[in-house]
Structures are given as structure tokens and as C-alpha cells.
Amino acid sequence: MRVYGYARVSTQEQAEEFDALNQQIARLKAAGATEVLIDIESGRSDARKQFNELLKLVQQNQVDEVIITRIDRLGRSVITIHKAIDIFVKQNVNLRVLDAPVDPNSPFGWFSINQMSGLAEFESRLLSQRVKQGNEYFRQQLKYCVPPFGYAKDENHRLTPNRNIHEKSGKTYFELAKIIIDLTLELRSLQDVCNYIYTEYEVVFTVAGLRDWVKNLVLQGHTAYFVKKKKGINREPIINFHTHEALITPATVEAIQAKLSANRKYRSSATSTRGDYPLAGLIRCTHCQGSMYRNFSRHKTRTEYMRCVNYNKLGKYHCENSKCTRLRQIISKTIAELCENAPKLIEYLESQSETTQVVSTQEIEKLSNELSVLRALRSSNPDIIQAIAKIEATINSRSIPVKMIERDTFENAQRKIAIASQATFWESLDDSELRVTLAEFVEKVEVDSEGAVTPSFKLPLTLSSMRP
């Protein structure tokens, strides 16, 4: 008998700290569930991955019985619960609710489920209303969650200047914030400001973070809510003016806006072609394995060169590779290496044509998804650890060895490599053609602080051609 259990908690905190998920799983297994599907998500959401997987399995006649601890584990909406139960009834799947045994096929059971699902939705709506009222009261009291740099919260959770002393500079955080504002107006770019304050004061800001910070209405002395728009939420901002000491004046705000507008022309636009060049996305820094970005010299020749993206980052993510290597030099060295190593690629291709690899079937993919869910729980429960080991063993035992490359595919790839070994072929391509063709042969290209270029090649085979 194919018996599935379904367990759900709303938050990771419930799963880890209160052990609610493990309790559900243990009860479901004790009740006879051979497999348990798990979601850590609100019951008001209809996009729960494992819940929808359960409904899919039921519709495919792969389930005989579904076990849950309470009816609200299926959802916190009357419509969602009824949709699930209708599917169970149509497919003749027995639903067992451990805390309240009911028969959805009987009139009394149908009535009981209606009452329980209505109560589940009522509790959810009541909680939502309480949270909404609490947040509304929070805003009416001018309270604030996370103050921006330079500000703190008083005993009433309202904004106030941060008078604590910054250890490195000996100044208060509020004074240090004023210095950062002055530097924003004085220095050439926000990146220069970030570098300076990290070197001098060990204060870390990203460029985007600094840009958002100087625009924050808190710095102007206002307490505001719903300023940043969120997807799916269309609410007008609530701004309470002059609620605390301001860090910047209206004149400073205008000066900052003018500075940001002037700097905007140096940033990417909607019509940017920064990724439209040969080897785009394939060039890596040898030292940190970070990507490298393209820039142009200020000379009228507009020479393209590549630089490690982590060189401009601060703290532990900073990379010492400051070398600016010409893009055309990287491309020419990569092509030269490819022409030279073409015979080795063909030799490797011939060896691979006789080898095998493991191809994932649909069943293995399903087991892999279940394995990911169980690992995400990070549980010390012996049953879950045993289930993880069992799934891993099943995946290993059901892997299918198949031939990696067919003869026709091999000959086609061999022909491509032979053409690519001719320098005249590469000279005939324009940049757009060069980008597409190099992407077919090149896995990545590493560039070190001395400008040395080390390409790694791949076989010119698509994923589909690797399957029989």
C-alpha cells in the first residue's frame, strides 16, 4: 500500500527551535507513512512545492492513502483544503487526519472538514489582522526597525543620533556619518568614498549601499515607511516630517542629487553592450576565481581591457590582482592555444567516445529533490538521517550507464575542432560570430596578475548530443 504523509510548518524557526516538523514526521511514520513530503512555508500559499507534488502523485494514481496530523497542515484556506480533498475523493485516496479522524466521503465527515478548514482560515486571518494592527501601532508611535548608519534607537524605539564612539576614529557615529556626507560631495565617485572610509575608518559600504544611504529620508530628519516599492505591494509611502535631528540640510540633499546625476553617465544604461564581446562571462581571475569586467581606456582609441571585479571590493572579498589586461590580447592568446591544442582535443574526444557516464532519469531527479528537502532540515533525528542514507543508496543503485558519444556526433565534433585549428578561420569572423564560436570551445580563461592567459577548453558538444 502506497501511504504518503504530508508535514508542514510555516517557518524555519518552528522546524529547528521548536522541533515541530520532526514531531510531525515521527507521528506520520508511526501511523504508517512510508514516505513523508515536507514544506516549510505558510499554509496560505498555494505554491508549496511538496504539497503540489503530493496532489500530482494522487492524480497519477501513485498514492493509496494520505496521512496528516491536522487538517490545517493542508492549508490555511478553505478553497485550498477543499481543492485537495476533492482530488483525494475523485482518485479514491483515503485521507487520515490523526488529531481528528474524519471520512470525507460521508456527509458528517464533509461537514466536519468544512468546520475545521473554516476555523483554520479564521485563525490565519485573525493572526494576519493582529500583525497588521501591531505594525500600524508601531508606525503611529514613530518607531523604527533598523536605523541607518549614524542613527540609533532610543528606549521607545524612535530614531536618535548615534552618540556612541567609533573605536577606530574616536568620533561618534553621527559625526562620522557627517564626514561621509562631506566626502560624497568632495570625492569623484562613490567608489572612491567607499575605498577612503574603509582605509581610514574601517567602515564598509558598497557603492549601491552608499547610494541608498545618502538618499534615505532618515538623514533628512524624517521617519518614513513604505518608501521602497516591493513587488506585488502597491502602497503609498508614509512620511512623518522632522521627527528627529537631521544629518543633512535641504541644500545638501540637492547637491547630492546633482552629484549622483552627474555620475550616472559613467554607469551602465538600458542599452549597455558590456556583455556583448568575445569571451564575455568566460574570463576569470586566477587568484580569486572571480569574474573580470571590461572597461575602456580614456584615450581616443578606446582600448578594451579586463580587470578583476573583486579588486574594487573591500574587506575579505578584496583581490590583489590589479592587472589590466587587454581584451584583444586575451582573445588572440586563447585562439593560439586552441589551434595548438586541437590534436589533443581530438585525441581526448576519441577516448571519451568509448567511455560511459551516468544519466539521470526522471525517478532519480525526483529522489534528488526529496534528498535536497531532507538535507535542508539539518536535523539530528535518526529517522531523517536514515532516510537520507536510504535515498542516496537508491540513487546510486538506479543510475544507468550509457554510451557518452555516438559515432555521428563524434565525427561532427572532430570536424569542428579541425576547422577551429586553422588561424584563417578565426580571422574571418566578426566579433558577434567570434563570441558564439569561442563559447562553444572555451570553458574559461584565467588571467593572473602578470597578464598570463591560461584557457581551459571543452568539447564542442551540446547536452543533447551527449545523450544516445
Side-chain angles (χ1 to χ4, degrees), residues 285 288 290-293 307-313 317 319:
C285 172
C288 68
S291 60
M292 302 187 78
Y293 68 93
R307 192 177 201 179
C308 177
V309 71
N310 291 327
Y311 176 73
N312 291 323
K313 291 185 179 179
Y317 300 108
C319 178

Side-chain angles (χ1 to χ4, degrees), residues 341-399:
N341 287 281
K344 295 180 181 178
L345 280 176
I346 294 176
E347 182 181 339
Y348 177 76
L349 185 65
E350 289 175 341
S351 66
Q352 290 297 298
S353 66
E354 301 302 326
T355 61
T356 61
Q357 70 168 0
V358 172
V359 174
S360 178
T361 65
Q362 186 175 4
E363 183 181 3
I364 293 175
E365 288 176 2
K366 176 189 168 185
L367 290 171
S368 299
N369 291 335
E370 293 177 0
L371 186 62
S372 299
V373 173
L374 290 177
R375 284 174 174 167
L377 296 176
R378 303 175 195 164
S379 174
S380 57
N381 188 301
D383 290 335
I384 295 181
I385 294 173
Q386 185 178 0
I388 291 174
K390 182 179 178 182
I391 293 175
E392 288 176 340
T394 304
I395 291 174
N396 292 333
S397 65
R398 297 186 184 178
S399 298

Side-chain angles (χ1 to χ4, degrees), residues 38-54:
I38 302 163
D39 275 318
I40 303 176
E41 199 168 349
S42 169
R44 294 184 67 88
S45 171
D46 289 339
R48 287 170 279 149
K49 185 175 179 180
Q50 295 302 309
F51 174 70
N52 290 323
E53 177 67 19
L54 175 64

Side-chain angles (χ1 to χ4, degrees), residues 6-9 20-28 69 73:
Y6 177 71
R8 181 189 64 80
V9 291
L21 188 60
N22 288 335
Q23 291 178 32
Q24 287 187 54
I25 295 170
R27 292 187 63 194
L28 294 172
T69 55
R73 296 305 87 194

